[in-house]
Amino acid sequence: MSLLTRLNDDMKQAMKNKDKERLSVIRMVKASLQNESIKLGKSELSEDEDLTILSRELKQRKDSLQEFKSAGREDLVEKLEMEIEIIQEYMPEQLSDEELSAIIQETIQETGASSKKDMGKVMSAIMPKVKGKADGSKINKLVQQFLN
């Protein structure tokens, strides 16, 4: 089932359940998908493109969450946490720390990286492998640990 089909089904269910918060988040995600599809001139996006957009939406909210927490805006923090939770339902299952470490070590061996100077090479090789399945900042920290 494509992401757009799933979003449409969930949107109908949210309307029936009068779940305004879920409905709002689904509409925002759908709008982002449709905007991207128009921008790229495609009628339908690939799974990879869908995942990129979902990841971007999630990252925006996580960044905003940190800002709101530091500003003491608890009302907005709660709203964003709920939005993040809903968007994560559409993301692929996240990799465990052990799985992520194994992928990072394997990629470091593949690229022949040995120091922090090779960080960019390692990151560019890892990101396509774990797209949507792990947070970029978490990957960055683990790669730094392994390259020390």
Side-chain angles (χ1 to χ4, degrees):
M1 176 187 302
S2 77
L3 179 60
L4 204 53
T5 306
R6 188 170 161 209
L7 285 168
N8 283 327
D9 292 346
D10 289 352
M11 189 169 80
K12 289 174 192 170
Q13 192 59 46
M15 284 180 194
K16 287 179 186 174
N17 296 343
K18 297 186 182 354
D19 188 346
K20 290 180 182 172
E21 291 83 14
R22 178 174 288 281
L23 183 61
S24 170
V25 173
I26 291 171
R27 283 182 172 156
M28 281 189 278
V29 171
K30 273 189 66 176
S32 292
L33 290 168
Q34 289 169 333
N35 288 339
E36 190 71 18
S37 135
I38 290 167
K39 184 175 138 189
L40 296 174
K42 295 181 173 182
S43 60
E44 203 169 305
L45 297 172
S46 69
E47 264 187 62
D48 200 38
E49 291 164 332
D50 286 344
L51 197 55
T52 300
I53 294 161
L54 276 176
S55 297
R56 183 175 38 205
E57 290 292 317
L58 199 57
K59 184 177 181 339
Q60 286 173 351
R61 282 167 178 79
K62 285 183 177 180
D63 291 345
S64 297
L65 185 66
Q66 294 307 314
E67 294 292 320
F68 291 147
K69 279 184 178 178
S70 64
R73 294 291 311 267
E74 285 306 311
D75 54 329
L76 296 173
V77 168
E78 286 178 32
K79 182 179 184 282
L80 272 177
E81 286 174 340
M82 184 259 323
E83 287 181 11
I84 289 170
E85 200 173 293
I86 292 170
I87 293 172
Q88 283 178 331
E89 292 174 18
Y90 298 98
M91 296 290 288
E93 190 173 326
Q94 299 295 294
L95 293 170
S96 70
D97 288 345
E98 295 81 31
E99 293 170 318
L100 196 54
S101 293
I103 292 171
I104 290 171
Q105 288 174 332
E106 179 184 309
T107 307
I108 287 172
Q109 288 174 349
E110 286 171 8
T111 59
S114 59
S115 69
K116 282 195 175 187
K117 285 190 272 184
D118 301 319
M119 182 89 176
K121 188 179 3 173
V122 175
M123 288 299 289
S124 61
I126 286 178
M127 290 315 282
K129 294 179 183 179
V130 297
K131 188 170 197 162
K133 297 179 184 172
D135 182 47
S137 60
K138 184 177 184 180
I139 295 168
N140 192 324
K141 287 176 190 168
L142 286 171
V143 169
Q144 284 181 4
Q145 286 176 1
F146 286 118
L147 289 178
N148 276 339

